[in-house]
Amino acid sequence: MNIFFSSNMLNINNLAYILCLIISIILSIIIGTQGKKRSSRFFALTVLVMSFWIFSNFMVSNTTSQESILFWIRTAMIGPVFIGTFFLIFYLIFPEEKNINFNKAL
């Protein structure tokens, strides 16, 4: 299975997946390396997990066997858990860079 040169690769959905994937990886790398604050690192992690989620959804739409489709669907369910987690941490520390005591919050 060659997903990058298949005949259905020119589908508009696949081009949108690839474009979003490339933009999110570049954005994550730029923010992760340029930003020195914890908030920028957590935002970069959020965007990186989003790119993982986009890639797994891309693989779901471009896989033909049922076993691999099931694998990529299960893999796609992992992304939103970490997107929410990292975004919550980013939300809690963003404007003021405050330290969070998670034991107190729970």
Side-chain angles (χ1 to χ4, degrees):
M1 177 186 74
N2 192 349
I3 62 169
F4 294 108
F5 297 108
S6 64
S7 62
N8 66 355
M9 183 62 188
L10 299 177
N11 185 336
I12 189 73
N13 292 333
N14 291 340
L15 293 176
Y17 279 133
I18 292 171
L19 182 65
C20 289
L21 182 64
I22 291 170
I23 289 172
S24 64
I25 289 174
I26 290 172
L27 183 65
S28 175
I29 290 171
I30 290 172
I31 293 172
T33 58
Q34 302 273 327
K36 304 295 183 214
K37 296 182 177 182
R38 281 184 13 186
S39 61
S40 61
R41 286 189 211 130
F42 276 108
F43 186 72
L45 277 172
T46 304
V47 174
L48 190 65
V49 172
M50 282 182 191
S51 64
F52 171 76
W53 181 58
I54 292 168
F55 176 73
S56 60
N57 284 322
F58 171 76
M59 291 302 293
V60 166
S61 66
N62 286 304
T63 306
T64 55
S65 71
Q66 289 185 353
E67 294 84 17
S68 57
I69 289 174
L70 185 61
F71 170 76
W72 286 111
I73 287 174
R74 288 179 179 168
T75 305
M77 294 300 143
I78 296 171
V81 172
F82 290 107
I83 291 171
T85 304
F86 290 139
F87 189 74
L88 175 66
I89 296 171
F90 168 74
Y91 164 77
L92 291 173
I93 65 173
F94 172 61
E96 298 148 7
E97 283 292 324
K98 52 188 167 191
N99 291 326
I100 302 170
N101 186 356
F102 287 106
N103 292 332
K104 225 183 242 189
L106 298 176

